[in-house]
Amino acid sequence: MFRKLLPIVILASIVLPAWTQSGSPMSLDDAITYALNQSNTVKDARINLADAEQQILERRSTGLPQLTGNLNFQRYLKLPVQPLPASFQVFGAAFTDLAPLLSDQTRELLNQSSGDGGGNGVSFFLKNNFTAALNLDAMIFDGSYFVALKAARAYRSYVSQEMMTKEREVRTTTIDAYLPVLVLTENLRLLDKNITNLERLFFETKELYKAGFAEQLDVDRLELSLINLQTQKETVIRQKALSLNALKFAMQYPMDESLEVTGDLGAIIEANTADIVSEELVSTNRPELGLLDKGILLNELNVRLQKSGYLPSLRAFGVAQESYQGNSFSDGFWAPTIYVGLALNVPIFDGFYKRATIQRAKLDVEQARLQRQDVERAIDFELDNARTSYQNATELLASQKRNMELAERIYKTTQIKYTEGVGSSLEVSQAEQSLYNTQSNYIQAQFDLARAIMDVKKALGKI
């Protein structure tokens, strides 16, 4: 099934960049989707999953009958000779008395060769030897086969769980890089609003100064505030550019392409108004725990695999071959050979090697279980901290919202008093600075709450 889906996954990773590079604004969900399809980490995990599928096929093939064919040709440039003693007899007659019955080549060899006993020798080979064979090998019983096949399937599940973990890391990295861009975008929006208001007040104050109803100090003070705001805006613009580059890097988005984000912190907060503080953790939602469970299973299968080394193995084999022998390719003969057999391998004593490997495999199981306990405790700790941070951020945001509303009301009141001639420019400047500070604190509180929400969702395994 995965092999059928793989071309679709690859096609999606090709089509998606073309859509995002068209300049369409990207929401947080769009950015996460893009990052998942472009991340080399996720792509590598998908390759590992495909490789695990092939390992299952590879392991399964070892239990199927294996059929091989081979061809072998030999030509003797000099025939090997077997020395024979002089007293050697065949059917009661001396071997040398049979010379008239032998071929010219054999008689020549008999005359040229002699053994240690002074007798002659003979060759039992012909010049040309050709063999064609089919070999069949089949497993009948092997205790390790089915355990290894099950381990290969478990490894596929492990790699699949590992891919989920990698995808979660990509989502987390993208979210962490996306939120600062929203913060700086909101800062720019407020700066533009404040600059517009201050420009209007600066213009009115200059007109009052020309009419003799304001001092030069009032004009200078407002001009200084305006310059500071414009400088601050330029700084935030550069910071946003840096944050966008960090987001591009996290998404593996082309650095030379423009990127526009949508949404705001308030929308993220409103979209997560459900009470996530009291929600219980479901362990299956955390891919890390699932990955560790798969690791424990693999280690347990390794123990079984090592124990199966004590079992005997039985294989069946068969060979069918045709052999040709002759001094030339016309006067030789073909000799067929067919045989079957069984091969039984029984382990008897290996110097306690398997016992040591079994004990090591059991220790690996214990270590994996201890590691899971540590991770489970760390997740509980992470969730408790995230919930506490969420509660603190919620209360802080409510407080900062009240402070900002109060600062806006004070600032409007001082502006009215100043334009009516019953207030001083110093009061306006103080109210202005107080408003800017509360606005900055409110945006920071929004960011802290949005990040706390994401941290709780991460701890619950919902990201």
Side-chain angles (χ1 to χ4, degrees), residues 202-441:
F202 179 59
F203 174 77
E204 293 175 355
T205 303
K206 285 196 298 182
E207 294 300 318
L208 289 174
Y209 171 73
K210 293 177 183 179
F213 296 104
E215 298 180 358
Q216 180 66 41
L217 179 62
D218 298 334
V219 177
D220 293 341
R221 186 173 290 159
L222 291 175
E223 184 178 8
L224 178 61
S225 297
L226 184 59
I227 292 174
N228 288 336
L229 282 181
Q230 292 171 341
T231 302
Q232 186 178 355
K233 178 182 177 180
E234 294 298 324
T235 301
V236 174
I237 289 175
R238 289 190 291 270
Q239 289 176 344
K240 182 179 178 180
L242 292 176
S243 295
L244 280 173
N245 286 338
L247 177 59
K248 291 178 183 179
F249 181 80
M251 295 168 51
Q252 297 200 3
Y253 190 91
M255 300 299 291
D256 56 347
E257 295 284 343
S258 62
L259 176 62
E260 181 182 355
V261 300
T262 61
D264 55 69
L265 295 173
I268 293 178
I269 294 172
E270 291 177 3
N272 295 274
T273 54
D275 188 8
I276 59 177
V277 175
S278 59
E279 189 170 346
E280 294 296 328
L281 171 66
V282 179
S283 60
T284 54
N285 290 339
R286 290 299 297 256
E288 305 97 312
L289 292 177
L291 185 65
L292 290 171
D293 288 336
K294 300 297 183 184
I296 292 174
L297 176 60
L298 283 174
N299 284 317
E300 290 173 344
L301 288 173
N302 187 37
V303 174
R304 292 177 55 187
L305 182 63
Q306 300 303 327
K307 287 182 177 180
S308 66
Y310 286 113
L311 299 176
S313 62
L314 180 64
R315 304 190 71 86
F317 60 89
V319 176
Q321 70 179 28
E322 286 277 351
S323 299
Y324 174 84
Q325 296 185 21
N327 290 322
S328 66
F329 293 104
S330 60
D331 62 352
F333 65 93
W334 288 92
T337 303
I338 299 176
Y339 62 91
V340 295
L342 295 174
L344 178 65
N345 181 25
V346 180
I348 298 177
F349 180 71
D350 62 356
F352 305 108
Y353 174 80
K354 282 190 289 293
R355 187 177 72 173
T357 56
I358 292 172
Q359 293 302 318
R360 291 187 61 195
K362 289 181 178 179
L363 293 176
D364 290 338
V365 173
E366 293 302 319
Q367 284 184 326
R369 289 173 178 168
L370 292 175
Q371 185 179 5
R372 191 192 188 283
Q373 292 176 3
D374 289 340
V375 172
E376 193 172 10
R377 291 176 60 252
I379 289 175
D380 291 338
F381 179 71
E382 176 189 353
L383 181 56
D384 290 340
N385 285 348
R387 285 171 173 167
T388 302
S389 298
Y390 172 79
Q391 291 176 328
N392 293 338
T394 301
E395 296 174 1
L396 181 60
L397 179 62
S399 175
Q400 293 298 338
K401 184 177 181 180
R402 290 192 298 269
N403 291 343
M404 188 177 67
E405 292 172 349
L406 182 61
E408 287 178 347
R409 190 161 60 247
I410 294 173
Y411 181 62
K412 290 178 181 179
T413 301
T414 55
Q415 279 188 322
I416 294 173
K417 289 175 61 179
Y418 178 74
T419 55
E420 292 179 353
V422 293
S424 65
S425 61
L426 180 60
E427 291 178 341
V428 175
S429 296
Q430 291 175 343
E432 173 190 313
Q433 291 302 319
S434 177
L435 174 62
Y436 297 161
N437 289 335
T438 55
Q439 286 177 338
S440 178
N441 292 337

Side-chain angles (χ1 to χ4, degrees), residues 11-24 34 38 253-254:
L11 179 61
S13 65
I14 296 174
V15 173
L16 188 61
W19 171 76
T20 53
Q21 292 177 20
S22 62
S24 301
Y34 181 95
Q38 291 299 109
Y253 190 91

